[in-house]
Each structure stands twice: as C-alpha cells, then as structure tokens.
Amino acid sequence: MSSLREECGVFGVYSPETYDVASMTYYGLFALQHRGQESCGIVVNDDGLFQSYKDTGLVNDVFTSQHLAALGSGNIAIGHVRYGTTGTTGRSNAQPIVVNHIKGRMALAHNGNLVNTSELRTELELQGSIFHTTSDTEVISYLITKERLTAPTIEEAVNRAMCRIKGAYSLVIMSPSKLIAVRDENGFRPLCYGQTEDGRYVVASESCALDAVGARFIRDIDAGEILVFDKNGPHSIRDHCGKAPYCMCVFEYIYFARPDSVIDGCSVYEARMRAGAFLALEYPVQADVVIGVPDSGIQAAIGYARQSGIPYNTGFIKNKYIGRTFIAPGQASREDKVKIKLNPIAEVVRGKRVVLVDDSIVRGTTSARIVRLVREAGAKEIHMRISAPPFVNPCYYGTDIDSREHLIACHHTVEEIRSIIGADSLGFLSVDSAKKLAGGIQGKGQCAACFNGEYPTQIPSNPIKSKFEKRISDNN
C-alpha cells in the first residue's frame, strides 16, 4: 500500500453529428477515476461554442445531472481527472484548460509532467505571458497558442510545440472543429483510441475507459504521434515518432493502471500476475497462505500463489466507499484512512504463516500499519513481498516522488525496513524483473528511473516546486 499520488487521466470524443458527448465523457472519466481524485473537468464543443465545467472532487460529486445538462450537446468533448504533480491542488489547476485566442478557441488536458517547465515558463513570462495557474499544462497551452500565430493549422502548431516541450505528456486537445491526441516521444504515459458502433471516435488514457462507453479498441497511439480527428476521419502526423527510445513507465503496470486495461499490447492484469510469479522465484518462503493488499496487490498475490504452490485466500475486506489512501492530503489523514479502509479476515490468517503481497513501500508508515493489522488478527508469521523494487530516486514524469527525502529505501537497508514495518521477512521485486513485466512487447523498454536512476531524458535543472506555491518564510 503506497503513499504515492498518481498522475492524471484524459478522455476525448469526436462525434460525426451532435450527440450527448458530455455524458459520454462523464462515463469515460468515471472509468479513469483511479488515475486522479483531486479534481475533474469537461469541455463540450457545440459547433465552435465551448461550454465547460470543472471543480475539485470526484467525478460523480462534481458533475450532477444539472451540470451535465448545462454543458449541452455537441460533437466534440474532452475531459480530465487530476492528481497534481506540478502545481498546487485546487480548482485553479483543474483541467481542461480553455484558451480564447485570435486564431480560435482551444481546450487542452494533460497527463504527465514536463522536465523543462521552469525554463519554458521563465522564457514566456519574460515575453509578457501572464499565467493563471502553477501547472505545466498551461505552459503547453501557451506554446501551442504561440505557434498558432504562424502555423497554418492547429495540428501544425502542436507539431512545432512538441519540439520545445520535454518529458512526459499524453494530451487531448480540442479546437472548434478537431479533436487531437498527442503522446510524447518516449511514450511515458498511456494513450489509446477506439470507435463506437455508430462511428464516434474515443481517446482515453486507458482502454478500460473505451470499454465503459462501448467503444471498440483500435490501437494505442504511438510514442511521438499526433492523431487528428475531424470530418474526414482520423489522420496521423508522425514527425516525432522514432526520435527517442520508447520508455513506458513500468509503474503503470505495477500500480497506476486498472487491471482490466491493456497498455501497448500488454494486459495489466497479466503483468501483475507475472510480478507475483517473479517474486515467488526470487523470494521463496515456507508459508500457509498468500494474501494481497487491495487493490493492486491482489493480482500479484495470485501470481505468487500459483508459482509457489501456496494457497491464495482473500485476506482483507476493503471498504469500497473509501478512495485510495494516497489521495488523502497529508500523511496523518492517509494513516487514519487505512484504519477504516482495510480490515483483515482473522479466520484466514489466525495462527498461520502469511505471505503478504503489496505493490510498493514508499515511506513505510502505511505498510507498518497493515502488517500490524494482520499481526493483531492472529498471524503467526508475516512475510512481506513487494511487487515493485525499492524507490530510491525522484520521478520527473508524472508520479509525485519529487525528492529522496521521504523515500524509506534511501535511508534504510532492506533489513532495516523489515524491522521498521514489523515483518518477519521482506522481499522487493528486482529491477530486472520489473522491466520484464510487460513481456518485452515488440522489443520495447520501460522507464524504471525511480528504481535504478537511469533517466531517459534530461532531468529538471530546478525541480523545486514553484515559488508561487511557497510562503515567504519558506525562502529564508
């Protein structure tokens, strides 16, 4: 059970005719809710007239039937669920961003994190740009708008802007007549598209959102690709494809994505099962039962059980009305939520040697509480197995690990971590195995920089949070 915050989820729909695209986007965002629970928003395009609504909170809380009705019908819409990694929380940084410009309106939603935000923003501010948020998404929108002054089309403006922005970005962009999907040159974050039986095109961060709106999966959008949907159907711009090594974030398979999604040809469910099997081979133990911490530890636990031959059983009852613990703002609140979110089943663990499988250990406090819960339920031994390697480096591509300061593995050995969390033994998945979780699809690689420090791009020269997010006294 990690204390990570994830990045975001994006969704877009292009309909040949006027349709209730707001409701369709609502259901798509609902399927992507696991990718961000801080804020959400939808923008609907009705023949060039944009209607938008966004706020902090969960999708079903923010969008009442009245809000959806007010958005009206249209033929294009984009939506976003957010947990911020660059930019403070709150409504001001909620997405999509809407831009009104002499060359036409534009709405944009972004999943990922740029590594050169500071330099780009400074450059734009010195040229007179005025920013209303502290997110890197607004930087992207400014660059596209700036290029739009001379570019013949909005897709060409996007193409030119991609030469400036570096890092992780999966985008959905809406103009008065087009829906545009963009994926960065490394393919850090997932993005795919499909089509409904009645001809509507759908773009989403994960394939599970296509399923939610009845769209047939067509394919993943390639790293570096710009895919444009308009009255002539989809057409691809591939000027940036093949310019950088493919580096999908391996933690998408370990934790972020929903298990029913397929990312770049690999089932997330199968990847997690594979992680558990690798763990059983790397860290075998004599035990009576294998249990997993809901939700993303369950598939790895089943994989461990199948490989080891130790029986799997349901070890926890999860309160389904409580969101992921890392969503709660502040460590104390996260720890309080653990108490009411998970309850061990004493009949499963009492008097037994238990293999307890979870997806990660970041700070260690949540893991310690879970181990204590199982111990108090009567487990004789607890052997913790983690389906990710130890976090020892910051992530600059959309996961909220911005420093080594709070990473327990940066300050303690595995044996020390075992002692801190109170387990009888502890094993982390190896980095080599983590990079094999996607099955080596099409010879592509994964980014595991947070585990091994091998960053596929330049890293930020000034990764410290924006000065607009700090008190005056913080600078003293």
Side-chain angles (χ1 to χ4, degrees), residues 288-292 301-302 304-305 308 310-314 354-357:
D288 304 306
V289 66
V290 180
I291 65 173
I302 295 172
Y304 191 104
S308 66
I310 303 169
Y312 167 82
N313 207 336
T314 302
V354 177
V355 177
L356 176 62
V357 182

Side-chain angles (χ1 to χ4, degrees), residues 337-387:
K337 280 197 170 184
V338 172
K339 302 174 187 176
I340 60 174
K341 179 179 179 179
L342 295 175
N343 194 39
I345 302 174
E347 289 74 12
V348 172
V349 302
R350 186 183 295 120
K352 294 180 181 177
R353 300 167 296 175
V354 177
V355 177
L356 176 62
V357 182
D358 203 356
D359 55 72
S360 58
I361 298 178
V362 183
R363 296 170 179 87
T365 50
T366 303
S367 297
R369 285 182 174 269
I370 292 173
V371 170
R372 186 160 59 249
L373 285 174
V374 178
R375 187 83 69 188
E376 290 171 351
K380 184 166 64 174
E381 297 176 7
I382 301 174
H383 302 278
M384 193 86 173
R385 298 294 181 263
I386 305 300
S387 61

Side-chain angles (χ1 to χ4, degrees), residues 90-104:
R91 194 175 189 275
S92 63
N93 278 323
Q95 298 183 39
I97 287 178
V98 177
V99 176
N100 299 307
H101 189 254
I102 191 172
K103 287 282 191 172

Side-chain angles (χ1 to χ4, degrees), residues 10-14 24-25 29 32 76-79 172-173 179 192 194 201-205 210 229:
V10 298
F11 187 89
V13 55
Y14 181 92
M24 194 172 183
T25 304
L29 293 182
L32 296 172
I76 313 175
I78 65 171
V172 287
I173 302 167
L179 173 68
C192 62
Y201 288 99
V202 180
V203 176
S205 290
L210 304 183
F229 303 87

Side-chain angles (χ1 to χ4, degrees), residues 4 85 113 115 188-189 249 362 390-411 447-460 462-465:
L4 290 175
T85 54
N113 210 59
V115 296
F188 284 109
R189 298 296 164 197
C249 171
V362 183
F391 285 100
V392 292
N393 299 286
C395 174
Y396 302 110
Y397 306 118
T399 306
D400 197 18
I401 306 175
D402 57 4
S403 76
R404 295 166 55 92
E405 180 183 356
H406 300 297
L407 298 176
I408 191 170
C410 289
H411 310 288
C447 175
C450 54
F451 306 134
N452 62 13
E454 297 175 4
Y455 296 100
T457 73
Q458 68 182 61
I459 61 174
N462 180 25
I464 301 172
K465 290 287 188 181

Side-chain angles (χ1 to χ4, degrees), residues 168-182:
Y169 54 91
S170 286
L171 310 172
V172 287
I173 302 167
M174 183 171 69
S175 77
S177 61
K178 299 171 183 176
L179 173 68
I180 304 171
V182 186

